[in-house]
Amino acid sequence: MSALLGELQRRNVHRAALFYAGAAWLLVQIATQVFPFFDIPNSTVRIVVIAVVIGFPFAMLFSWFYEWTPQGIKLESEIDRSESVTRQTGKTLDRWIIAVLGLAVVVLLANALLGRKAAPVELDRSIAVLPLINESGDPEDEYFSDGLSEELIAALLQIGDLKVIGRSSSFRFKGGVDDSKTIGEKLGVGTLLEGTVRRQGDRVRIVAQLINAQDGRGLWAQTYDRELKDIFAVQAEIAQAVAASLKLSLLGDAAKARQDAAPLNAEAHSAYLQGHFYYERTNVADFRRAVDYFDQAIRLDPEYALAYAERSEAWSWIADQDTEPHPDAFAAARRDAEKAVALDPNLAEARTTLGWLRFFVDWKIDEAVIELRKAKQLSPFNVRANYTLARVLGYAGQFEEAEALARLSVELDPLSANARRDLARVLYVAGKNDEAITQGQKMAELQPTAGSSRRWQVLAAVVKGDSEMALREAQLEPSPSYRRFELALAFHAHGDAAAADASLAALIEKDSLIGAYQIAQVYAWRGEADTAFAWLQRSYDQHDTGTLNLYADPLMRGLRGDPRYAAMLLKMAWPGAMPK
């Protein structure tokens, strides 16, 4: 051993180790302090650290086997000991070591002085949950990782004073390559929660990490290995860890409501997540598939309030959008919404659903507003609660509050087409047509193939007298039904009577069962009041949900002096049923 130590000393291995350690420390300090300033990704810092660690044994082997001579690098075994210059090399290394240590002292002193002078960093209390990565190896489990991501969003909404970005915006970065700073800037948040999910049998592993969006620095990380039945407890633990990291507190009643909403059966939870996966696709065929999965969840856990709430919404959209009649769908939607609130009156999602059903199905505006205000009180930053309340207040003519709520929804979910659409709707009925067009165009950019993605641009352009824009936007409308409606208005505004009549005739022929209110709108804007009221009565008799627009609809302003208009509002039991 003494011989080995002597040989290590003779070959300057100990000096090489000290020099390497000091130089490596300086390199890592430079990487961690300077790279973020130039927007170099955080992954590069990790690469530097890994390379430094891997390089150490190679550096030691090099110093053992090779010697630096005036003639260059040579194998130590090829040099006669009488000609060796290792002692002189050692002295040179000593000087380099002293220089490196001097630089290290300078860096440490600079950090200490700057650290004393700098104010404590105040973390931005805003967060986006990026979609958890499915690592189970089975693409069919995508619904599970997506569902957990959304449930984490709901759990984080229970943290007081924390701005949580909605699903629509966060999920736009699923599978993307944007760095943390870019995502943070696009979503307007200071922190990101990311991670992975691996499900095997009845167990699940979740790796979660909270990072600073500005520089990619990790603030907290944890791995959870649990049984599936404990998944809601894991979500609560993650929310608590995030709250602690950001020096915030969980909202007591709302947080308890999330725990109470947890299903008793892991299979019920899995069925709910599959139903939610299809519900988010927002088309009639997938709404039907969602209902089937919600049925399974409720059979397995008859007290699953969240499953009742979402099945209620699915039924309401099936009833409204399906071309096949579903005479019992609205009744089923109402029963499910009421059941959800009865099971868990403190669940914001249940209150939001019941509020929407009271408006959309029952046409009871006052009751709808009461329920939606309760939902917002339970979860102030819940995107859906905010934009649903904004929509209802906009229909009711309460434009100022509706606009404030719609703008908050856009702030909470800036890349959500739904939030942009509802802001455009509110601005249009409030008479702010230019901005309504701007927001409508942003909605179309986010979801260009969505039905009615051009509606508010067309209607606002028609009302403000810009027939060129109205016609251009109407021709871009993806939905055939809405395109017929929009073209009937745009051609009339453009002065092309033949084309306007042809579009209206096509609308009546193809869409009279689902578009009676739109037909009434066209006739009202053309000034044909008697025909407009006939179609308005038909819309009311068919319980066409478009009729809910009547009170604040700018296209109907030509009818407001007619006694039949006030009579229709009274028939609908509209609050303060007087024309505006």
Side-chain angles (χ1 to χ4, degrees):
M1 179 60 70
S2 61
L4 175 62
L5 292 175
E7 192 65 14
L8 288 171
Q9 185 174 4
R10 188 189 72 81
R11 300 187 186 204
N12 292 311
V13 175
H14 63 300
R15 288 187 173 94
L18 187 58
F19 174 75
Y20 188 93
W25 183 85
L26 277 175
L27 182 61
V28 170
Q29 289 298 309
I30 291 170
T32 55
Q33 301 297 324
V34 178
F35 282 15
F37 181 78
F38 292 101
D39 293 331
I40 298 174
N42 201 46
S43 58
T44 308
V45 178
R46 289 193 288 270
I47 292 171
V48 170
V49 174
I50 293 169
V52 162
V53 173
I54 293 174
F56 180 77
F58 292 99
M60 296 307 95
L61 287 171
F62 183 88
S63 65
W64 173 268
F65 286 109
Y66 290 91
E67 182 175 330
W68 194 294
T69 73
Q71 291 77 36
I73 297 174
K74 294 184 178 182
L75 278 170
E76 191 277 337
S77 59
E78 296 175 352
I79 301 172
D80 189 279
R81 289 208 173 190
S82 63
E83 298 176 356
S84 175
V85 293
T86 53
R87 183 167 295 181
Q88 288 88 336
T89 303
K91 291 178 181 179
T92 302
L93 280 171
D94 286 341
R95 287 193 289 270
W96 279 106
I97 290 169
I98 291 169
V100 167
L101 291 177
L103 284 172
V105 170
V106 171
V107 171
L108 288 171
L109 287 173
N111 281 340
L113 290 172
L114 291 173
R116 285 197 195 100
K117 292 181 180 179
V121 176
E122 181 69 23
L123 287 172
D124 187 340
R125 293 175 175 180
S126 55
I127 192 169
V129 178
L130 301 184
L132 299 176
I133 298 171
N134 171 30
E135 289 194 335
S136 67
D138 185 355
E140 293 296 319
D141 277 348
E142 201 76 9
Y143 78 90
F144 188 77
S145 55
D146 284 358
L148 291 189
S149 305
E150 294 185 60
E151 288 180 341
L152 279 173
I153 292 173
L156 291 172
L157 282 169
Q158 314 317 318
I159 299 177
D161 299 323
L162 179 64
K163 172 186 170 184
V164 184
I165 294 299
R167 175 207 191 270
S168 298
S169 296
S170 294
F171 271 61
R172 285 187 177 270
F173 297 95
K174 182 176 180 179
V177 295
D178 296 284
D179 59 36
S180 61
K181 186 174 182 180
T182 300
I183 296 173
E185 289 174 349
K186 287 183 177 179
L187 297 181
V189 296
T191 52
L192 303 173
L193 185 66
E194 61 182 19
T196 61
V197 179
R198 181 185 296 273
R199 189 177 70 154
Q200 291 182 325
D202 62 351
R203 296 195 65 82
V204 62
R205 165 176 284 193
I206 299 176
V207 179
Q209 181 182 20
L210 181 68
I211 63 175
N212 187 323
Q214 183 65 27
D215 57 17
R217 178 168 49 91
L219 303 174
W220 163 86
Q222 184 66 46
T223 299
Y224 301 87
D225 284 298
R226 301 291 174 81
E227 293 184 16
L228 282 174
K229 66 180 181 180
D230 298 325
I231 194 68
F232 271 74
V234 171
Q235 294 167 19
E237 288 181 42
I238 293 173
Q240 289 168 350
V242 169
S245 297
L246 300 180
K247 297 180 174 59
L248 295 167
S249 301
L250 285 167
L251 300 173
D253 291 343
K256 183 178 183 300
R258 297 303 307 176
Q259 289 296 309
D260 293 341
L264 301 175
N265 185 301
E267 292 182 25
H269 181 235
S270 180
Y272 163 77
L273 291 181
Q274 290 181 78
H276 182 78
F277 179 79
Y278 286 109
Y279 173 83
E280 285 293 340
R281 294 186 174 186
T282 62
N283 63 74
V284 171
D286 284 318
F287 283 143
R288 290 176 184 155
R289 296 183 71 178
V291 166
D292 290 340
Y293 281 113
F294 293 143
D295 288 345
Q296 292 179 34
I298 290 168
R299 278 198 302 271
L300 292 164
D301 183 355
E303 297 187 354
Y304 201 164
L306 201 54
Y308 279 104
E310 211 147 315
R311 188 173 70 176
S312 169
E313 292 185 35
W315 274 125
S316 72
W317 291 119
I318 290 171
D320 183 62
Q321 297 180 7
D322 201 348
T323 54
E324 298 179 13
H326 294 273
D328 299 326
F330 277 143
R334 185 186 298 109
R335 284 195 302 271
D336 279 349
E338 291 171 349
K339 180 71 172 178
V341 171
L343 287 170
D344 196 342
N346 290 321
L347 186 63
E349 289 87 343
R351 290 286 184 185
T352 301
T353 296
L354 183 57
W356 177 244
L357 264 292
R358 287 288 181 256
F359 172 74
F360 194 63
V361 177
D362 297 334
W363 296 7
K364 296 179 179 178
I365 314 302
D366 286 339
E367 291 183 25
V369 171
I370 289 170
E371 291 297 335
L372 291 169
R373 290 198 189 282
K374 287 178 181 176
K376 180 170 172 56
Q377 184 178 11
L378 287 166
S379 187
F381 297 124
N382 184 296
V383 175
R384 187 168 166 272
N386 277 286
Y387 76 61
T388 304
L389 181 56
R391 182 185 298 185
V392 173
L393 292 176
Y395 279 116
Q398 298 182 35
F399 303 133
E400 187 174 344
E401 185 180 0
E403 182 180 338
L405 289 167
R407 291 190 186 280
L408 175 60
S409 298
V410 169
E411 181 184 348
L412 294 172
D413 210 351
L415 303 182
S416 165
N418 284 337
R420 294 283 180 181
R421 179 187 60 207
D422 284 321
L423 177 56
R425 179 200 305 267
V426 170
L427 291 167
Y428 161 69
V429 295
K432 299 181 179 181
N433 293 306
D434 288 332
E435 196 173 358
I437 290 169
T438 299
Q439 293 299 329
Q441 288 172 335
K442 288 181 179 179
M443 181 269 176
E445 290 170 6
L446 290 167
Q447 200 169 349
T449 61
S452 84
S453 62
R454 304 288 169 167
R455 174 166 46 157
W456 305 112
Q457 299 92 294
V458 172
L459 269 56
V462 165
V463 170
K464 69 174 287 194
D466 189 343
S467 61
E468 294 290 341
M469 172 175 282
L471 190 56
R472 183 172 64 251
E473 292 289 328
Q475 289 168 338
L476 295 172
E477 171 60 55
S479 163
S481 296
Y482 278 110
R483 186 164 59 250
R484 286 186 282 269
F485 162 60
E486 292 163 17
L487 285 172
L489 290 168
F491 278 126
H492 175 73
H494 201 58
D496 189 338
D501 289 344
S503 296
L504 178 57
L507 180 65
I508 294 171
E509 178 188 355
K510 297 178 182 295
D511 303 312
S512 59
L513 292 177
I514 59 173
Y517 183 77
Q518 281 72 35
I519 297 169
Q521 283 178 297
V522 176
Y523 277 116
W525 190 249
R526 287 162 59 122
E528 300 177 39
D530 291 342
T531 312
F533 276 113
W535 278 100
L536 192 56
Q537 182 62 49
R538 186 166 174 175
S539 171
Y540 175 84
D541 293 339
Q542 292 175 349
H543 204 75
D544 183 339
T545 54
T547 317
L548 291 163
N549 287 278
L550 179 62
Y551 186 66
D553 190 347
L555 293 178
M556 293 294 189
R557 66 190 182 194
L559 305 182
R560 290 175 184 171
D562 193 305
R564 290 173 290 182
Y565 179 78
M568 179 62 74
L569 291 178
L570 285 170
K571 190 185 300 186
M572 295 176 66
W574 204 273
M578 291 295 294
K580 290 185 69 67

